[in-house]
Amino acid sequence: MRGYSMTTKIGIDAGGTLVKVAYLDNNNIEFRTFRSQQLDEVIKWITTNFERVEVCLTGGKSEILAQKLQGPTQTIVEFEATSKGVDYLANEQNLHFSNGFILANVGTGTSIHHMKDGKQERVIGSGVGGGTLLGLSYLVSGETEYEKIINLSLQGNRGNIDLKVEDIFEGAVPPISGDLTASNFGKLSKMMAEKPSKTDALASVIGLIGETVVTICIQVADTYQTSDILYIGSTLRSNSILAGIMNNYTKLRGKQPFFLENGEFSGAIGALLSI
Ligand SMILES: Nc1ncnc2c1ncn2[C@@H]1O[C@H](COP(=O)(O)OP(=O)(O)OP(=O)(O)O)[C@@H](O)[C@H]1O
Ligand SMILES: [Mg+2]
């Protein structure tokens, strides 16, 4: 990347936890991620790698980052940037929604939007998101590193902690699918008899987050009379356990789940495209 003589266009989505960067390199979009607690690393990366830049910022920390970046910057409203980026990635990945769709951005928190005819409306949000994943995981396991948490959770068994409908009915025929979670973390007696492992606890934390987000999305999809739900956000990054839970649970509730490759960069791409 060194030796750029042209102006490089850079879109930055500086969120509560992670800074997502999308920039143009020979007409290809390239991606980088930094921690929001280390904004100086972003500045350092830009100044060491590029001679001249044109930057467009979005996300909750865009103002703080703009102050640190010497030189002029543009900003774009986060929801606008995200929907621009989502449209771009969906097109590129041949995803087409004929009757609008629900967009859930599972970031530090979760925000849920209705998208139709090129317009977006923020419908609702939830504090249950990727920050919850990190925070609750720390409380139940002492682990703080995202990748390690995900890898450990893959080895866990939610059956030792989460109560299913079939557990309550004990063999009788339930009125709803016995496979549904009746109560996340609901198996108190079992847990008191034998303390669940760290891996089980982490798997259940992820189950709680996935099912809570999907439940809200299902309700929103019903309200807006669409069956398609698109999930983005870095919480889904290299996170097959969360994506799997959200995929299965959305289908179980009769809706169609979608995931975008590089979906966590939607805001950064939208910012880049608006330069
Ligand atoms: N390397 C990583 N380090 C920390 N968290 C990570 C990492 N990779 C993925 N995550 C997960 O992604 C979440 C952040 O997602 P995302 O980057 O979409 O949010 P954000 O844009 O920073 O926050 P918001 O949009 O809510 O302000 C974290 O809370 C964590 O669960
Ligand atoms: Mg974000």
Side-chain angles (χ1 to χ4, degrees), residues 73-87:
T73 50
Q74 305 169 41
T75 53
I76 176 172
V77 176
E78 183 174 343
F79 302 143
E80 208 181 299
T82 307
S83 58
K84 248 187 182 175
V86 163
D87 281 345

Side-chain angles (χ1 to χ4, degrees), residues 15-18 20 35 78 106-109 130-131 134 146-147 233-235:
T17 310
L18 298 173
K20 281 76 61 186
R35 300 188 65 88
E78 183 174 343
V106 194
T108 309
L134 294 176
Y146 176 78
E147 276 86 12
S234 312
T235 313

Side-chain angles (χ1 to χ4, degrees), residues 8-270:
T8 306
K9 293 182 176 183
I10 307 181
I12 303 179
D13 172 10
T17 310
L18 298 173
V19 178
K20 281 76 61 186
V21 177
Y23 64 100
L24 280 181
D25 184 3
N26 279 324
N27 278 332
N28 284 327
I29 301 185
E30 301 288 339
F31 304 113
R32 294 286 297 220
T33 307
F34 300 87
R35 300 188 65 88
S36 303
Q37 284 174 331
Q38 297 171 340
L39 291 181
D40 290 339
E41 294 291 316
V42 184
I43 315 284
K44 202 165 100 190
W45 176 77
I46 292 176
T47 49
T48 36
N49 287 293
F50 308 102
E51 248 171 57
R52 272 196 303 268
V53 292
E54 221 174 318
V55 177
C56 182
L57 298 161
T58 194
K61 299 216 182 277
S62 53
E63 224 175 286
I64 305 167
L65 188 58
Q67 284 165 14
K68 285 177 176 277
L69 272 164
Q70 280 149 7
T73 50
Q74 305 169 41
T75 53
I76 176 172
V77 176
E78 183 174 343
F79 302 143
E80 208 181 299
T82 307
S83 58
K84 248 187 182 175
V86 163
D87 281 345
Y88 175 88
L89 288 173
N91 245 321
E92 192 191 58
Q93 291 166 37
N94 249 321
L95 272 185
H96 300 285
F97 304 97
S98 50
N99 187 31
F101 62 100
I102 303 306
L103 174 72
N105 187 356
V106 194
T108 309
T110 300
S111 80
I112 298 168
H113 309 251
H114 175 232
M115 318 281 284
K116 196 170 184 185
D117 303 330
K119 290 189 204 120
Q120 77 82 24
E121 178 194 352
R122 183 177 185 278
V123 181
I124 201 167
S126 169
V128 175
T132 318
L133 190 160
L134 294 176
L136 275 185
S137 293
Y138 172 67
L139 285 181
V140 301
S141 72
E143 299 293 344
T144 54
E145 202 189 309
Y146 176 78
E147 276 86 12
K148 186 157 184 211
I149 290 168
I150 303 306
N151 285 334
L152 287 171
S153 69
L154 281 164
Q155 301 157 33
N157 175 8
R158 294 180 59 194
N160 291 330
I161 297 177
D162 295 331
L163 190 72
K164 282 191 177 187
V165 169
E166 66 193 14
D167 296 322
I168 296 181
F169 281 77
E170 291 187 72
V173 180
I176 52 174
S177 167
D179 206 35
L180 288 168
T181 306
S183 178
N184 297 80
F185 286 85
K187 282 193 179 164
L188 178 62
S189 332
K190 187 170 167 61
M191 289 193 274
M192 286 168 71
E194 190 180 348
K195 196 168 191 301
S197 68
K198 214 155 108 161
T199 53
D200 292 349
L202 290 172
S204 288
V205 164
I206 294 185
L208 168 76
I209 293 159
E211 289 169 1
T212 303
V213 170
V214 169
T215 300
I216 302 168
C217 290
I218 298 294
Q219 204 66 48
V220 174
D222 280 340
T223 304
Y224 287 87
Q225 297 179 329
T226 177
S227 62
D228 296 340
I229 307 175
L230 176 62
Y231 299 107
I232 62 166
S234 312
T235 313
L236 287 156
R237 185 177 167 154
S238 317
N239 194 345
S240 59
I241 176 167
L242 180 64
I245 287 165
M246 293 178 75
N247 187 56
N248 293 340
Y249 191 41
T250 305
K251 284 183 180 159
L252 194 76
R253 300 289 306 271
K255 306 289 182 205
Q256 196 54 47
F258 295 90
F259 298 87
L260 278 176
E261 196 179 330
N262 295 319
E264 68 270 32
F265 293 101
S266 300
I269 294 171

